[in-house]
Amino acid sequence: MSEPIKVYTSNGWGPCHMVKVYLSRKGFEYTEHNVSLDREALKELVSKGYRSTPVTVIGEENVVGYSPSKIDEA
């Protein structure tokens, strides 16, 4: 995989935590971009057309919400 996986998250939101746990259990490395704490991450997320978290970016694919099957496909 050429590009690292990015996960846009927000504080206190269960699905965000579940995505991180899922990726970790599968052995995938990822970078977390917490939109609750990082204004630049929020701007990036909105520029991609999203206003909710989690959004997992894998290459050209954007997976919205907690969806293990879509993460695996991407």
Side-chain angles (χ1 to χ4, degrees):
M1 188 174 305
S2 58
E3 291 183 43
I5 297 172
K6 286 185 176 182
V7 182
Y8 291 91
T9 64
S10 54
N11 288 342
W13 186 232
C16 294
H17 177 73
M18 291 165 55
V19 166
K20 294 186 294 183
V21 168
Y22 182 77
L23 290 171
S24 294
R25 285 186 179 158
K26 290 289 231 174
F28 292 121
E29 291 185 22
Y30 64 89
T31 56
E32 179 179 4
H33 300 270
N34 187 322
V35 301
S36 297
L37 305 174
D38 182 347
R39 283 286 201 209
E40 287 303 311
L42 178 59
K43 287 179 187 175
E44 283 177 30
L45 185 65
V46 171
S47 76
K48 292 178 181 294
Y50 301 104
R51 297 191 176 275
S52 63
T53 57
V55 174
T56 306
V57 180
I58 305 171
E60 298 295 316
E61 298 290 322
N62 296 327
V63 179
V64 180
Y66 175 65
S67 179
S69 61
K70 288 184 181 177
I71 290 171
D72 288 344
E73 285 176 25

